[in-house]
Coordinates of all heavy atoms in Angstrom, one line a residue:
A67 N 56.3 192.8 135.6 CA 56.3 191.6 134.8 C 57.4 190.7 135.3 O 58.5 191.0 135.9 CB 56.8 192.0 133.4
S68 N 57.2 189.3 135.1 CA 58.1 188.4 135.5 C 58.9 187.8 134.3 O 58.6 188.2 133.2 CB 57.4 187.3 136.3 OG 56.5 186.6 135.4
V69 N 59.8 186.9 134.5 CA 60.6 186.3 133.4 C 59.6 185.6 132.4 O 58.6 185.0 132.8 CB 61.6 185.3 133.9 CG1 62.8 186.0 134.7 CG2 61.0 184.2 134.7
R70 N 59.9 185.8 131.1 CA 58.9 185.3 130.1 C 59.6 185.0 128.8 O 60.7 185.5 128.6 CB 57.9 186.4 129.9 CG 56.8 186.1 128.8 CD 56.0 187.4 128.5 NE 55.4 187.9 129.6 CZ 54.1 187.7 129.9 NH1 53.4 187.0 129.1 NH2 53.5 188.2 131.0
A71 N 59.0 184.0 128.2 CA 59.6 183.6 126.8 C 58.4 183.0 126.1 O 57.9 181.9 126.5 CB 60.7 182.6 126.9
E72 N 57.9 183.6 125.0 CA 56.8 183.2 124.3 C 56.7 183.7 122.9 O 57.4 184.8 122.7 CB 55.5 183.5 125.0 CG 55.2 185.0 125.2 CD 54.0 185.4 126.1 OE1 53.4 184.4 126.6 OE2 53.7 186.5 126.1
F73 N 56.0 183.0 122.1 CA 55.9 183.4 120.7 C 54.3 183.8 120.5 O 53.5 183.1 120.9 CB 56.2 182.4 119.7 CG 57.7 182.3 119.4 CD1 58.4 181.4 120.2 CD2 58.2 183.1 118.4 CE1 59.8 181.4 119.9 CE2 59.7 183.0 118.2 CZ 60.4 182.1 118.8
L74 N 54.2 185.1 119.9 CA 52.9 185.5 119.8 C 52.6 185.7 118.2 O 52.9 186.8 117.6 CB 52.6 186.8 120.4 CG 52.8 186.8 122.0 CD1 52.7 188.2 122.6 CD2 51.8 186.0 122.6
G75 N 52.3 184.7 117.4 CA 52.3 184.8 116.0 C 53.7 184.9 115.5 O 54.5 184.1 115.6
D76 N 53.9 186.1 114.7 CA 55.1 186.3 114.2 C 56.1 187.2 115.0 O 57.1 187.7 114.7 CB 55.1 186.9 112.8 CG 54.3 188.3 112.9 OD1 53.7 188.6 114.0 OD2 54.3 189.1 111.9
T77 N 55.7 187.3 116.3 CA 56.4 188.1 117.3 C 56.8 187.4 118.6 O 56.1 186.5 119.0 CB 55.6 189.3 117.7 OG1 55.1 190.1 116.6 CG2 56.4 190.2 118.7
A78 N 58.1 187.5 119.0 CA 58.6 186.8 120.1 C 58.8 187.8 121.2 O 59.4 188.9 121.0 CB 60.0 186.2 119.8
G79 N 58.3 187.4 122.4 CA 58.4 188.3 123.5 C 59.2 187.6 124.7 O 59.0 186.5 125.0
F80 N 60.2 188.4 125.2 CA 61.0 187.9 126.4 C 61.2 188.9 127.4 O 61.2 190.1 127.2 CB 62.5 187.6 125.8 CG 62.5 186.4 124.8 CD1 62.2 186.6 123.5 CD2 62.8 185.1 125.2 CE1 62.2 185.6 122.5 CE2 62.8 184.1 124.4 CZ 62.7 184.3 123.0
V81 N 61.2 188.4 128.6 CA 61.5 189.2 129.8 C 62.9 188.5 130.3 O 62.8 187.4 130.9 CB 60.4 189.3 130.9 CG1 61.0 190.1 132.1 CG2 59.2 189.9 130.2
V82 N 64.0 189.1 130.1 CA 65.3 188.5 130.4 C 65.9 189.0 131.5 O 66.1 190.2 131.8 CB 66.2 188.8 129.1 CG1 67.5 188.0 129.2 CG2 65.4 188.4 127.8
P83 N 66.4 188.2 132.5 CA 67.1 188.7 133.6 C 68.6 188.9 133.3 O 69.2 188.2 132.5 CB 67.0 187.5 134.6 CG 66.9 186.2 133.8 CD 66.1 186.7 132.6
V84 N 69.1 190.0 133.8 CA 70.5 190.4 133.7 C 71.1 190.7 135.0 O 70.3 191.0 136.0 CB 70.7 191.6 132.7 CG1 70.3 191.1 131.3 CG2 70.0 192.8 133.2
V85 N 72.4 190.7 135.2 CA 73.1 191.0 136.4 C 73.8 192.2 136.2 O 74.7 192.4 135.3 CB 74.0 189.8 136.8 CG1 74.7 190.2 138.2 CG2 73.2 188.5 137.0
R86 N 73.5 193.3 137.1 CA 74.3 194.6 137.1 C 74.6 194.9 138.5 O 73.7 195.0 139.4 CB 73.4 195.6 136.5 CG 73.3 195.6 134.9 CD 74.5 195.6 134.3 NE 74.4 195.8 132.8 CZ 75.2 195.3 131.9 NH1 76.3 194.7 132.4 NH2 75.0 195.5 130.7
D87 N 76.0 195.1 138.9 CA 76.3 195.4 140.2 C 75.8 194.5 141.2 O 75.3 194.9 142.3 CB 75.9 196.9 140.5 CG 76.5 197.8 139.5 OD1 77.5 197.7 138.9 OD2 75.8 198.9 139.2
E88 N 75.9 193.2 140.9 CA 75.5 192.1 141.9 C 74.0 192.1 142.2 O 73.5 191.5 143.0 CB 76.2 192.2 143.2 CG 77.8 192.0 143.0 CD 78.4 191.9 144.3 OE1 77.7 192.0 145.4 OE2 79.7 191.7 144.5
Q89 N 73.2 192.9 141.2 CA 71.8 192.9 141.4 C 71.1 192.4 140.1 O 71.6 192.6 139.1 CB 71.3 194.3 141.7 CG 71.9 195.0 143.0 CD 71.2 194.3 144.1 OE1 70.1 193.7 144.2 NE2 72.0 194.2 145.3
V90 N 70.1 191.6 140.3 CA 69.4 191.0 139.1 C 68.2 192.0 138.7 O 67.4 192.4 139.5 CB 68.8 189.6 139.4 CG1 68.0 189.1 138.2 CG2 69.9 188.7 139.8
A91 N 68.3 192.5 137.5 CA 67.2 193.2 136.9 C 66.7 192.6 135.6 O 67.1 191.5 135.1 CB 67.8 194.6 136.5
L92 N 65.5 193.2 135.1 CA 64.8 192.5 134.1 C 64.8 193.4 132.9 O 64.6 194.6 132.9 CB 63.4 192.2 134.4 CG 63.2 191.2 135.6 CD1 61.7 191.0 135.9 CD2 63.8 189.9 135.2
V93 N 65.2 192.8 131.7 CA 65.1 193.5 130.3 C 64.0 193.0 129.5 O 64.0 191.7 129.4 CB 66.5 193.5 129.7 CG1 66.4 194.1 128.4 CG2 67.5 194.2 130.5
H94 N 63.1 193.8 129.0 CA 62.0 193.4 128.1 C 62.6 193.4 126.6 O 63.1 194.4 126.2 CB 60.9 194.2 128.3 CG 60.3 194.1 129.7 ND1 58.9 194.1 129.9 CD2 60.9 194.0 130.9 CE1 58.7 194.1 131.3 NE2 59.9 194.0 131.9
A95 N 62.2 192.4 125.9 CA 62.6 192.2 124.4 C 61.4 191.9 123.6 O 60.7 190.9 124.0 CB 63.8 191.3 124.3
L96 N 61.2 192.5 122.5 CA 60.2 192.2 121.5 C 60.8 192.1 120.2 O 61.4 193.1 119.7 CB 59.1 193.3 121.7 CG 57.7 192.9 121.2 CD1 57.1 191.8 122.0 CD2 56.8 194.1 121.3
A97 N 60.7 191.0 119.6 CA 61.3 190.7 118.3 C 60.3 190.3 117.3 O 59.5 189.4 117.6 CB 62.5 189.8 118.4
S98 N 60.6 190.7 116.0 CA 59.7 190.2 114.9 C 60.7 190.1 113.7 O 62.0 190.3 113.9 CB 58.6 191.1 114.5 OG 59.0 192.3 113.9
E99 N 60.2 189.8 112.5 CA 61.2 189.7 111.3 C 61.7 191.1 111.0 O 62.7 191.2 110.4 CB 60.3 189.2 110.1 CG 59.8 187.9 110.3 CD 60.9 186.8 110.3 OE1 62.1 187.1 109.8 OE2 60.8 185.7 110.7
R100 N 61.0 192.2 111.5 CA 61.5 193.5 111.0 C 62.1 194.4 112.2 O 62.9 195.3 111.9 CB 60.3 194.4 110.5 CG 59.7 193.7 109.2 CD 58.6 194.6 108.7 NE 57.5 195.0 109.7 CZ 57.5 196.1 110.4 NH1 58.5 197.0 110.1 NH2 56.5 196.3 111.2
F101 N 61.9 194.2 113.4 CA 62.4 195.0 114.4 C 62.7 194.2 115.7 O 62.2 193.1 115.9 CB 61.3 196.1 114.8 CG 60.0 195.6 115.3 CD1 59.9 195.1 116.6 CD2 58.9 195.4 114.5 CE1 58.7 194.6 117.1 CE2 57.7 194.9 114.9 CZ 57.7 194.5 116.2
L102 N 63.5 194.9 116.5 CA 63.9 194.3 117.9 C 63.8 195.5 118.8 O 64.5 196.5 118.6 CB 65.3 193.7 118.0 CG 65.8 193.3 119.4 CD1 64.9 192.3 120.0 CD2 67.2 192.9 119.2
V103 N 62.9 195.6 119.8 CA 62.7 196.6 120.7 C 63.2 196.0 122.1 O 62.7 195.0 122.6 CB 61.3 197.1 120.8 CG1 61.2 198.3 121.8 CG2 60.9 197.5 119.4
I104 N 64.1 196.8 122.8 CA 64.5 196.4 124.1 C 64.2 197.5 125.1 O 64.4 198.7 124.9 CB 66.1 196.2 124.1 CG1 66.6 195.2 123.0 CG2 66.6 195.8 125.5 CD1 68.1 195.3 122.7
A105 N 63.5 197.1 126.2 CA 63.0 198.1 127.2 C 63.5 197.6 128.6 O 63.7 196.6 128.9 CB 61.6 198.1 127.1
H106 N 64.0 198.7 129.4 CA 64.4 198.5 130.8 C 64.1 199.7 131.5 O 63.9 200.8 131.0 CB 65.8 198.1 130.8 CG 66.8 199.3 130.2 ND1 67.2 200.2 131.0 CD2 67.2 199.5 128.9 CE1 67.9 201.0 130.3 NE2 67.9 200.7 129.1
R107 N 64.1 199.5 132.8 CA 63.8 200.6 133.7 C 65.1 201.1 134.4 O 65.8 200.3 135.0 CB 62.9 200.3 134.8 CG 61.4 200.1 134.2 CD 60.4 200.1 135.3 NE 59.0 200.0 134.6 CZ 58.4 201.1 134.3 NH1 58.9 202.2 134.6 NH2 57.1 201.0 133.7
G108 N 65.4 202.4 134.2 CA 66.8 202.9 134.7 C 67.9 202.6 133.9 O 67.8 201.6 133.1
R109 N 69.1 203.1 134.1 CA 70.2 202.9 133.3 C 71.0 201.7 133.7 O 71.8 201.2 132.9 CB 71.2 204.1 133.4 CG 70.6 205.4 132.8 CD 71.6 206.6 132.9 NE 71.1 207.8 132.2 CZ 71.7 208.9 132.0 NH1 73.0 209.0 132.5 NH2 71.1 210.0 131.5
R110 N 70.8 201.3 134.9 CA 71.7 200.2 135.4 C 71.4 198.9 134.7 O 72.3 198.1 134.5 CB 71.4 200.0 136.9 CG 72.4 199.0 137.6 CD 72.1 198.9 139.1 NE 70.8 198.4 139.4 CZ 70.3 198.3 140.6 NH1 71.0 198.6 141.6 NH2 69.0 197.8 140.7
A111 N 70.2 198.6 134.3 CA 69.8 197.4 133.7 C 70.0 197.4 132.2 O 69.7 196.3 131.6 CB 68.3 197.0 134.0
G112 N 70.4 198.5 131.6 CA 70.5 198.6 130.2 C 71.5 197.7 129.5 O 72.6 197.5 130.1
L113 N 71.3 197.2 128.3 CA 72.2 196.4 127.5 C 72.6 197.1 126.2 O 73.2 196.4 125.3 CB 71.7 195.0 127.2 CG 71.6 194.0 128.5 CD1 71.0 192.8 128.1 CD2 73.0 193.7 129.1
E114 N 72.1 198.3 126.1 CA 72.4 199.0 124.8 C 73.8 199.1 124.4 O 74.2 198.8 123.2 CB 71.8 200.4 124.7 CG 70.2 200.4 124.7 CD 69.6 200.3 126.1 OE1 70.3 200.1 127.0 OE2 68.4 200.5 126.0
R115 N 74.7 199.4 125.3 CA 76.0 199.5 124.9 C 76.7 198.2 124.5 O 77.4 198.1 123.6 CB 76.8 200.1 126.2 CG 78.3 200.3 126.0 CD 79.0 200.9 127.2 NE 78.3 202.3 127.6 CZ 78.7 202.9 128.6 NH1 79.6 202.4 129.4 NH2 78.0 204.0 128.9
D116 N 76.3 197.1 125.3 CA 76.9 195.8 125.0 C 76.2 195.3 123.6 O 77.0 194.7 122.8 CB 76.4 194.7 126.1 CG 77.0 195.2 127.4 OD1 78.2 195.7 127.4 OD2 76.4 195.0 128.4
I117 N 75.0 195.5 123.4 CA 74.3 195.1 122.1 C 74.9 196.0 121.0 O 75.1 195.4 119.9 CB 72.8 195.2 122.2 CG1 72.2 194.3 123.2 CG2 72.2 195.0 120.9 CD1 72.5 192.9 123.0
T118 N 75.2 197.2 121.2 CA 75.8 198.0 120.2 C 77.1 197.5 119.7 O 77.5 197.3 118.6 CB 75.9 199.5 120.6 OG1 74.5 200.0 120.9 CG2 76.5 200.3 119.5
A119 N 78.0 197.1 120.8 CA 79.2 196.5 120.4 C 79.1 195.2 119.6 O 79.8 194.8 118.7 CB 80.0 196.3 121.7
Q120 N 78.1 194.4 120.1 CA 77.9 193.1 119.4 C 77.4 193.3 117.9 O 77.9 192.6 117.1 CB 76.8 192.3 120.2 CG 77.3 191.8 121.6 CD 78.3 190.6 121.4 OE1 78.4 189.9 120.4 NE2 79.0 190.3 122.5
V121 N 76.6 194.2 117.8 CA 76.1 194.5 116.5 C 77.2 195.0 115.5 O 77.3 194.6 114.4 CB 74.9 195.5 116.5 CG1 74.6 196.1 115.1 CG2 73.7 195.0 117.1
R122 N 78.1 195.8 116.2 CA 79.2 196.3 115.3 C 80.2 195.2 114.9 O 80.7 195.1 113.7 CB 79.9 197.3 116.1 CG 81.0 198.1 115.3 CD 81.8 199.0 116.2 NE 80.9 200.1 116.6 CZ 80.5 200.4 117.8 NH1 80.9 199.6 118.8 NH2 79.7 201.3 118.1
R123 N 80.3 194.1 115.8 CA 81.1 193.1 115.4 C 80.5 192.0 114.6 O 81.1 191.5 113.5 CB 81.7 192.4 116.7 CG 82.7 193.2 117.4 CD 83.4 192.3 118.5 NE 82.4 191.8 119.5 CZ 82.2 192.4 120.7 NH1 82.8 193.5 121.0 NH2 81.3 191.8 121.5
E124 N 79.2 191.6 115.0 CA 78.6 190.4 114.4 C 77.9 190.8 113.1 O 77.7 190.0 112.2 CB 77.7 189.8 115.3 CG 78.3 189.3 116.6 CD 79.2 188.1 116.4 OE1 79.1 187.5 115.3 OE2 80.2 187.9 117.2

Side-chain angles (χ1 to χ4, degrees):
S68 58
V69 292
R70 179 186 298 262
E72 61 184 9
F73 279 91
L74 306 170
D76 58 350
T77 304
F80 292 85
V81 178
V82 185
V84 297
V85 182
R86 288 298 189 211
D87 301 330
E88 297 187 356
Q89 299 293 327
V90 178
L92 296 179
V93 173
H94 297 217
L96 202 62
S98 70
E99 296 290 342
R100 298 186 302 103
F101 62 81
L102 171 63
V103 183
I104 307 168
H106 60 90
R107 292 194 174 271
R109 294 184 178 181
R110 187 176 64 180
L113 289 175
E114 284 86 354
R115 183 179 302 177
D116 300 326
I117 293 301
T118 300
Q120 291 287 345
V121 168
R122 188 180 295 114
R123 288 195 300 266
E124 301 292 338

